[in-house]
Amino acid sequence: MATDTSKYKLRVKDPVESVKFYELLGMKVINKIENPQWSFDLYFLAFDSDKAESPGRHWTDREGIVELTHNYGTESNPEYTICNGNDEPHRDIAISVDNLQGACDRLEQANVAFKKKLSEGRMRHIAFAKDPNGYWVEIIGLKDQITTETDTSSYRMNHSMIRVKSATASLKFYQETMGMTLLRTLKNPDSKFDLYFLGYKREGEVENASATSDREGLLELTYNYGTDDPDSDFTGYHDGNAEPQGFGHICVSVDDLDAACARFEEQNVDWKKRLTDGKMRNVAFVKDPDGYWIEILQNEGLKKRADW
């Protein structure tokens, strides 16, 4: 089953401000789907220059997509709030850049808010910027750093991070059910957490490689020690879809949507929405062990199905 990590969905209050921010990062709106009948619009952004991983391809046929969902009226509703995923520990997204210091300097000059600057804390190799909705955007360096002026056209939409209650259960699900490969593991016993980077293995790629910063569309699982202890009072993480809503889901595009969903059925996955449920017959949603939603859709670059 040929698959790609396609996109990560963020709910936004004001699409104009959010699109402006992600364009500042170097991304481009590569598709917009308007749904006035349901009072929401979708914006799909990706790095799309000649130096990007998969420029010009259909949005379902590439890795590292950010989907912004705007529900009509939220931009003028002072009561509308968004769960950014970190006030209640949850997740972030990450981009890889060619000149780490230069990229951060550029964002600072544009008055972008930071959760953590490079010069702060003990980890001087990563920074966290905040988008207009308070979502964290991790900034990391590509493997080969340059000393000249940073070039956004070379950036990568590297990964999305989710915190998981059980590393064992989540790794089993994403490897065996979703078909991903564990590409890198970082153990941090002193800080009592481990990181696992998964993706769809490419030809010649080595499992548990020492570096994954040049990739796009990866999934990072963060496991904090003790959350799966049966004697712990920890019940789980906010899934992004319960109130207050925020991060919605990750998405995987597949070679054959019907066959993929039949396979998931055989594996007794926890469904949020089957293909046959509701009015939208071109998408399905399964839930991972922590209740995070995973959208399943057809890779339109391999087989035509929907008029997106």
Side-chain angles (χ1 to χ4, degrees):
M1 183 173 66
T3 52
D4 290 308
T5 314
S6 176
K7 60 184 175 67
Y8 316 109
K9 173 183 174 179
L10 312 177
R11 292 182 178 88
V12 300
K13 182 178 176 71
D14 185 335
V16 174
E17 290 300 313
S18 292
V19 167
K20 181 179 178 181
F21 171 83
Y22 287 98
E23 288 180 338
L24 176 66
L25 293 182
M27 304 183 94
K28 175 184 176 183
V29 176
I30 61 170
N31 193 31
K32 179 182 178 182
I33 299 177
E34 298 180 346
N35 297 281
Q37 70 275 32
W38 294 312
S39 299
F40 73 89
D41 294 337
L42 307 176
Y43 301 78
F44 299 89
L45 297 100
F47 292 106
D48 200 46
S49 75
D50 291 340
K51 296 180 181 179
E53 284 269 273
S54 51
R57 284 159 58 177
H58 194 276
W59 64 271
T60 63
D61 189 32
R62 59 169 95 193
E63 298 178 322
I65 305 290
V66 174
E67 174 190 354
L68 306 181
T69 297
H70 170 235
N71 295 294
Y72 295 178
T74 55
E75 68 277 17
S76 58
N77 181 0
E79 303 300 320
Y80 182 74
T81 59
I82 286 176
C83 174
N84 69 10
N86 287 288
D87 291 336
E88 181 173 348
H90 180 70
R91 50 167 78 168
D92 59 58
I93 62 175
I95 64 169
S96 307
V97 300
D98 58 352
N99 181 332
L100 185 54
Q101 186 64 61
C104 290
D105 290 345
R106 176 178 172 271
L107 294 178
E108 283 195 59
Q109 291 165 9
N111 295 317
V112 168
F114 276 77
K115 174 64 180 179
K116 177 199 174 299
K117 296 181 179 180
L118 281 178
S119 58
E120 298 173 337
R122 290 181 293 178
M123 295 190 295
R124 299 301 175 93
H125 60 288
I126 59 173
F128 287 89
K130 294 199 292 186
D131 89 345
N133 299 280
Y135 294 122
W136 295 9
V137 180
E138 183 179 357
I139 315 293
I140 61 176
L142 289 165
K143 182 174 63 175
D144 296 322
Q145 290 285 283
I146 64 173
T147 56
T148 53
E149 184 177 353
T150 186
D151 178 7
T152 59
S153 67
S154 67
Y155 291 7
R156 299 283 186 267
M157 176 55 223
N158 183 251
H159 70 259
S160 180
M161 182 275 283
I162 57 175
R163 291 183 174 90
V164 299
K165 182 176 180 179
S166 168
T168 301
S170 292
L171 286 169
K172 178 180 174 66
F173 173 82
Y174 282 103
Q175 290 180 100
E176 297 182 7
T177 302
M178 300 309 301
M180 291 183 174
T181 295
L182 179 61
L183 297 174
R184 189 184 186 197
T185 300
L186 291 176
K187 299 281 189 176
N188 296 278
D190 292 341
S191 299
K192 297 185 179 180
F193 72 90
D194 296 335
L195 307 177
Y196 303 90
F197 294 85
L198 300 105
Y200 290 102
K201 188 179 178 182
R202 297 174 177 176
E203 186 176 352
E205 197 165 35
V206 179
E207 293 186 32
N208 247 330
S210 60
T212 52
S213 62
D214 288 12
R215 281 288 308 263
E216 283 203 324
L218 300 181
L219 178 66
E220 176 190 357
L221 307 182
T222 297
Y223 165 64
N224 292 293
Y225 294 3
T227 53
D228 54 348
D229 187 333
D231 295 327
S232 170
D233 57 3
F234 179 75
T235 57
Y237 294 110
H238 188 287
D239 65 6
N241 288 292
E243 295 294 340
Q245 295 179 324
F247 274 90
H249 53 71
I250 63 173
C251 175
V252 170
S253 58
V254 300
D255 58 345
D256 187 311
L257 184 57
D258 292 298
C261 287
R263 174 180 171 274
F264 291 138
E265 195 75 62
E266 292 173 355
Q267 296 198 358
N268 296 313
V269 300
D270 186 5
W271 291 97
K272 173 63 182 178
K273 177 198 174 300
R274 290 179 168 86
L275 276 180
T276 53
D277 296 336
K279 296 180 180 179
M280 301 175 67
R281 299 301 175 93
N282 292 312
V283 296
F285 287 86
V286 301
K287 293 194 288 186
D288 86 346
D290 289 276
Y292 297 124
W293 298 5
I294 304 170
E295 182 180 2
I296 314 297
L297 54 77
Q298 177 64 47
N299 182 328
E300 300 285 334
L302 299 176
K303 180 181 178 181
K304 295 296 182 183
R305 181 186 177 104
D307 182 21
W308 296 111

